[in-house]
Amino acid sequence: MILAAGLGTRMRPLTHLLAKPALPVLNRPLLHWTLDMLRRHGVREVVVNTHHLPATVRRAVEEEGVRGLRVRFSHEPRILGTGGALGRARRWLGKGTVLVVNGDVLFDFDLGPLLRRHRESGAQATLALLRNPDPRRYSAVVTSGRGWIRSFRGGPRASAPGLFTGLHVLEGRLLERLPAGPSDSVRDLYEPLMAEGGRVLGVRVEGAWYDFGSPPLYLASQLSMLASGFRGVARGALVDPSARVHPTARVVRAVVGPGVTVGPGARVTESVLWAGARVGEGARVRRCILATGVRVGAGEALSQRVVLRLRGRRTTVEMAGDEGR
């Protein structure tokens, strides 16, 4: 199951236009990358929950074509949280092993070892953990020496807390424990289960993991993906074949979407330009996100801004902070 119903409040103003899983990442909806990963690991059936701007999520799935995947949608008129979403989709998920993925992160892990550890350990649920780069930003998951989770709320420094990646495996029969209505998978399922002596395992995984929780992270994650050549993407800059970049313009460490125009002498640096954006002659765009159809005038200079069109008017918002990697 892909959890795609969140309101995306930290990602505003971009989520006024698209639900977070539908945001373009390296010129593809974020959801596409997750579906590709699941398909490569043999997943054949997927449930996607929706709430905020559901049509944008459906459109992202339909554009992918979902070859080899059967996708169902579980729409939530009232948002139900990570636990309530699973409870609502119980009839489709069944009582077997369920893989759950947050729709606002992107990862490149080998899922095979995670699934094997889950089955061999006898765990009722297993969470994929990474080394926590910043316990002040991300909740620290503490495990025993054998990997059993002791706490989701931090602990002694010597315990080497992990970061919960938003990827977990659980046995479908656990869903019967969830209360009716909204709930949280950690607070209302895993923590009560552990308090009763239940077995919840944490497995350290290795590989790329990107957080798209806010506009600065959305930008920084894509720049990092470009630098690393994520899943074969060309390093440096990614320019859609339909974009028109003038020979005298420069595009450096940037993502340029379909139908974008970059005029003579313009310079686009460390930025993401959505479909149809236009950068005028001699303009300077640095560390910006330009949403669909935005126009930057000739000679205009923009730095660390999110620019989009809302209700027919251009809106510019400063990107607070720089959550780079």
Side-chain angles (χ1 to χ4, degrees), residues 219-243:
L219 176 59
S221 290
Q222 291 187 76
L223 296 181
S224 179
M225 293 165 76
L226 282 178
S228 67
F230 181 78
R231 294 196 200 169
V233 170
R235 297 172 185 260
L238 178 64
V239 180
D240 188 88
S242 66

Side-chain angles (χ1 to χ4, degrees), residues 38-46 66-71:
L38 296 177
R39 182 165 41 206
R40 292 209 315 266
H41 281 85
V43 173
R44 293 293 175 262
E45 294 185 74
V46 178
V66 293
R67 295 176 301 277
L69 285 176
R70 181 182 184 185
V71 179

Side-chain angles (χ1 to χ4, degrees), residues 3 6 20 30 88 118 136 157 181 247 255 302 310 319:
L3 301 175
K20 196 185 301 184
L30 173 56
R88 183 179 179 86
H118 175 75
R136 294 169 299 179
R157 291 184 181 180
V255 180
L302 292 172
L310 287 177
M319 276 198 284

Side-chain angles (χ1 to χ4, degrees), residues 21 33 53 59 90 105 126 131 149 179 216 224 239 260 285:
W33 297 98
L53 299 178
R59 187 162 58 245
R90 187 183 307 162
V105 298
T126 301
R131 183 185 63 82
I149 293 178
S224 179
V239 180
V260 168
V285 176

Side-chain angles (χ1 to χ4, degrees), residues 34-325:
T34 303
L35 290 170
D36 273 352
M37 165 63 76
L38 296 177
R39 182 165 41 206
R40 292 209 315 266
H41 281 85
V43 173
R44 293 293 175 262
E45 294 185 74
V46 178
V47 178
V48 180
N49 72 328
T50 61
H51 172 76
H52 176 62
L53 299 178
T56 65
V57 177
R58 282 181 170 269
R59 187 162 58 245
V61 172
E62 290 163 0
E63 289 174 355
E64 164 70 355
V66 293
R67 295 176 301 277
L69 285 176
R70 181 182 184 185
V71 179
R72 294 184 175 98
F73 293 94
S74 176
H75 182 65
E76 301 171 12
R78 175 179 62 148
I79 195 164
L80 295 174
T82 57
L86 292 166
R88 183 179 179 86
R90 187 183 307 162
R91 66 186 184 277
W92 292 320
L93 299 176
K95 296 185 178 181
T97 302
V98 179
L99 178 67
V100 184
V101 184
N102 282 359
D104 60 354
V105 298
L106 187 57
F107 61 92
D108 213 10
F109 310 144
D110 182 357
L111 300 182
L114 176 73
L115 293 169
R116 282 195 297 274
R117 283 288 306 280
H118 175 75
R119 295 184 181 116
E120 292 168 359
S121 68
Q124 293 162 283
T126 301
L127 281 63
L129 306 178
L130 283 173
R131 183 185 63 82
N132 197 326
D134 187 355
R136 294 169 299 179
R137 179 187 298 173
Y138 301 108
S139 296
V141 180
V142 180
T143 59
S144 70
R146 299 183 64 183
W148 299 108
I149 293 178
R150 290 176 171 172
S151 170
F152 288 95
R153 305 176 191 279
R157 291 184 181 180
S159 60
L163 177 155
F164 176 34
T165 62
L167 175 68
H168 43 136
V169 185
L170 70 153
E171 295 307 307
R173 61 182 179 273
L174 285 183
L175 302 182
E176 298 172 1
R177 297 175 57 98
L178 287 166
S183 64
D184 179 83
S185 58
V186 171
R187 183 183 63 247
D188 299 308
L189 180 60
Y190 295 151
E191 288 184 331
L193 179 66
M194 290 162 50
E196 297 171 13
R199 298 162 65 83
V200 181
L201 186 68
V203 173
R204 296 299 178 102
V205 293
E206 295 184 358
W209 181 84
Y210 298 100
D211 181 1
F212 293 88
S214 65
L217 282 172
Y218 172 80
L219 176 59
S221 290
Q222 291 187 76
L223 296 181
S224 179
M225 293 165 76
L226 282 178
S228 67
F230 181 78
R231 294 196 200 169
V233 170
R235 297 172 185 260
L238 178 64
V239 180
D240 188 88
S242 66
R244 293 178 295 169
V245 178
H246 193 273
T248 62
R250 290 197 64 192
V251 174
V252 181
R253 291 193 67 208
V255 180
V256 176
V260 168
T261 300
V262 182
R267 185 179 179 94
V268 176
T269 309
E270 297 183 330
S271 297
V272 173
L273 280 56
W274 291 10
R278 299 182 67 178
V279 179
E281 182 176 356
R284 297 290 184 266
V285 176
R286 175 186 171 275
R287 297 195 68 81
C288 290
I289 302 167
L290 306 185
T292 301
V294 163
R295 295 190 178 192
V296 178
E300 187 175 359
L302 292 172
S303 179
Q304 291 189 283
R305 296 290 189 271
V306 178
V307 189
L308 66 162
R309 293 186 64 81
L310 287 177
R311 293 179 286 277
R313 299 180 59 182
R314 177 173 136 165
T315 300
T316 302
V317 178
E318 183 178 3
M319 276 198 284
D322 182 18
E323 301 179 49
R325 296 174 177 272

